[in-house]
Amino acid sequence: MLDADFFRRWMTATAAAVDREAERLTALDSPIGDADHGSNLQRGFTAVVATLEKESPETPGAVLVLAGRQLISTVGGASGPLYGTLLRRTGKALGEAEEVTEEQLTSALRTGVDAVMALGGAAPGDKTMIDALTPAVDALGDSFAAARAAAEQGAEATTPLQARKGRASYLGERSIGHQDPGATSSALLIAALMEAAGAAEAGEAAGE
């Protein structure tokens, strides 16, 4: 079972990953975007961690709703609303349960991804964060590791695509040959989920 501490670890691990990869994310964003994806997410997830430490929400859903709300209010451009919607809708789908199963997380995350697709109008193959998130959710039923691998493969697979949504779509064929920064940061989010799961397993082993 996954409790609020698990979801706090997920957000903390995501913040650390974004911090490590901020320059790379911005470099990916430079030729096809505003060259601020890394710095924007870095600011947003730093604020998320600070807010979670201050307010200490007690349920998995509350952790994600608070994190999503913080991203929307902190991150500029499209990333704030998109990531904020992903986490808020996932959190709302989890409800008020104090613990959730991996199956419930998978279902809730799918709800969050669907909300992002509705908000941005993107579908798989459009060279967006959806190209990492959709295969990740599909694989999450197998394992956290499978979800991470699927997200990373999905992000890498955006390189030969022509962007059909977002700022990169304005470039037309010139967007081909660049890995999508949103898909790349989404893969970091899923990798952090596996990291949080690994930390939980290590804690359980130590407790035994």
Side-chain angles (χ1 to χ4, degrees), residues 66-155:
L66 180 59
R69 189 165 64 238
Q70 190 64 38
L71 288 175
I72 290 172
S73 66
T74 307
V75 180
S79 296
L82 292 171
Y83 270 102
T85 294
L86 174 67
L87 297 181
R88 286 184 69 228
R89 291 298 294 273
T90 300
K92 288 183 177 181
L94 290 175
E96 299 179 1
E98 293 185 359
E99 294 183 327
V100 299
T101 64
E102 292 180 16
E103 291 76 14
Q104 288 171 318
L105 171 57
T106 300
S107 176
L109 192 56
R110 190 178 301 279
T111 297
V113 172
D114 288 344
V116 172
M117 286 195 285
L119 177 64
D126 283 345
K127 198 183 182 86
T128 71
M129 62 195 295
I130 296 302
D131 290 308
L133 291 174
T134 298
V137 173
D138 289 341
L140 189 56
D142 295 326
S143 68
F144 289 112
R148 174 182 180 171
E152 292 175 347
Q153 291 167 6

Side-chain angles (χ1 to χ4, degrees), residues 37-59:
H37 189 63
S39 58
N40 279 345
L41 286 186
Q42 190 175 32
R43 181 174 64 255
F45 277 101
T46 296
V48 165
V49 171
T51 301
L52 290 175
E53 289 177 351
K54 180 180 178 181
E55 300 193 20
S56 298
E58 297 181 352
T59 66

Side-chain angles (χ1 to χ4, degrees), residues 8-9 23 31 58 71 80 101 123 174 188:
R8 276 192 287 269
R9 284 196 300 272
E23 290 186 6
E58 297 181 352
L71 288 175
T101 64
R174 285 181 293 159
L188 295 179

